[in-house]
């Protein structure tokens, strides 16, 4: 018996991070932490941090680093670090990556997986994307839930995200290039980056990701 892997999943909006992060977390029995899901849940609850985050999200802007760090920091308990995790949507800026590096002190990241899907393809995927308000499960107009508008796994409402408008998506993709692509170099310099082709069936992409984890993660390492 060893521990679970500590993973970061990078990739453009619509690359399939949410779906693959959940599959990886289930596969390794570790927690899936999505900052997007955290902020959407906080906004739905109407907490002040949630409502503040929602203003940025709906405009396609990034939530300020200080707010993001305040919200996620509580999650990085000793237990969370020891068991392993899959981070989805965090870090998204260089200051966030540096903060994560500090927080992980003594529990190094095993791998940052960059899920590569070109912009033309993610634009098409996002236009048809639908999401469960309650559990974050994602659907597509071509692959809807069994009952129109009702989540298969939790019965929540399946809707289009407020930030999946064309303008907000353009802005988010622009910010990905400016703010998030530098993180790819950051992990590359640490020798922790694996790029994975994100085009194809969900299962095939998942196998590619697991393959990388198996090559780079040692469950017996500290
Ligand atoms: P996407 O990757 O498609 O943008 P997410 O659900 O990951 O979807 O994030 C939705 C929105 O939440 C982002 O556009 C941004 O406004 C906010 N957000 C999520 N994570 C972060 C983060 N780490 N830093 C700043 N903003 C974030
Ligand atoms: Zn659901």
């Amino acid at each position: 018996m060893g521990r679970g892997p500590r993973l970061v999943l990078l990739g453009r909006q619509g690359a399939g991070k949410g779906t693959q992060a959940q599959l990886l977390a289930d596969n390794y029995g570790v927690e899936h932490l999505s900052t997007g899901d955290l902020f959407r849940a906080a906004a739905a609850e109407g907490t002040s941090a949630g409502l503040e985050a929602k203003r940025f999200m709906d405009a396609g802007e990034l939530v300020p680093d200080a707010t993001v760090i305040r919200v996620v920091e509580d999650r990085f308990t000793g237990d969370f670090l020891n068991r392993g995790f899959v981070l989805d949507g965090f870090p998204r800026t260089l200051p966030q990556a540096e903060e994560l590096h500090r927080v992980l002190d003594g529990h190094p990241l095993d791998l940052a997986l960059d899920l590569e899907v070109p912009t033309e393809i993610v634009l098409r995927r996002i236009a048809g994307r639908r999401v469960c308000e309650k559990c974050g499960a994602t659907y597509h107009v071509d692959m809807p839930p069994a009952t129109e508008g009702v989540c298969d796994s939790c019965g929540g409402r399946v809707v289009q995200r407020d930030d999946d408008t064309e303008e907000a998506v353009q802005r988010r993709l622009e910010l990905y290039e400016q703010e998030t692509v530098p993180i790819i170099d950051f992990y590359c310099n640490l020798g922790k980056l694996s790029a994975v082709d994100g085009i194809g069936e969900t299962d095939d992409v998942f196998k590619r990701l697991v393959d990388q984890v198996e090559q780079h993660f040692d469950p017996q390492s500290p």
Side-chain angles (χ1 to χ4, degrees), residues 132-137 139 151-158:
C132 171
E133 276 182 334
K134 213 162 141 198
C135 76
Y139 300 90
C151 178
D152 290 339
S153 43
C154 82
R157 267 207 321 156
V158 173

Side-chain angles (χ1 to χ4, degrees), residues 6 10 24-25 29 38 57 59 79-80 87 111 118 137 149 151 167 179 190 205 211 220:
R6 292 187 280 264
L10 299 168
L24 285 167
L38 270 186
M57 291 167 78
D79 191 47
F80 182 83
L87 303 184
L111 201 58
C151 178
E167 299 81 2
E179 303 290 340
L190 291 173
V205 174
D211 201 52
Q220 305 306 332

Side-chain angles (χ1 to χ4, degrees), residues 159-219:
V159 297
Q160 182 157 38
R161 269 167 51 171
D162 290 340
D163 63 347
D164 275 353
T165 62
E166 210 175 308
E167 299 81 2
V169 170
Q170 288 293 355
R171 179 65 185 146
R172 278 149 66 207
L173 286 167
E174 217 175 274
L175 283 169
Y176 184 81
E177 303 302 323
Q178 279 171 29
E179 303 290 340
T180 309
V181 168
I183 300 185
I184 295 176
D185 289 336
F186 175 86
Y187 287 120
C188 197
N189 291 333
L190 291 173
K192 304 247 161 165
L193 187 82
S194 281
V196 170
D197 179 6
I199 301 177
E201 296 293 324
T202 300
D203 281 359
D204 295 329
V205 174
F206 178 61
K207 283 191 198 112
R208 291 173 206 150
L209 290 167
V210 169
D211 201 52
Q212 289 303 311
V213 177
E214 300 298 312
Q215 280 183 44
H216 296 276
F217 163 59
D218 172 5

Side-chain angles (χ1 to χ4, degrees), residues 39 62-72 90 92-97 99 179:
F39 292 142
L62 291 176
V63 176
D65 287 336
T67 310
V68 176
I69 290 167
R70 186 155 29 87
V71 171
V72 298
F90 177 83
R92 200 180 284 232
T93 64
L94 210 46
Q96 290 178 22
E99 179 63 21
E179 303 290 340

Side-chain angles (χ1 to χ4, degrees), residues 9 16-25 115 202-203 205-206 209:
L9 206 51
K17 287 192 302 288
T19 304
Q20 297 294 344
Q22 188 59 54
L23 289 171
L24 285 167
L115 199 51
T202 300
D203 281 359
V205 174
F206 178 61
L209 290 167

Side-chain angles (χ1 to χ4, degrees), residues 66-113:
T67 310
V68 176
I69 290 167
R70 186 155 29 87
V71 171
V72 298
E73 235 164 18
D74 296 349
R75 303 285 172 138
F76 288 84
T77 59
D79 191 47
F80 182 83
L81 297 178
N82 285 322
R83 292 189 50 190
F85 52 74
V86 183
L87 303 184
D88 158 16
F90 177 83
R92 200 180 284 232
T93 64
L94 210 46
Q96 290 178 22
E98 285 160 355
E99 179 63 21
L100 176 65
H101 196 67
R102 271 192 294 277
V103 170
L104 290 183
D105 181 44
H107 303 81
L109 197 74
D110 294 298
L111 201 58
L113 293 153

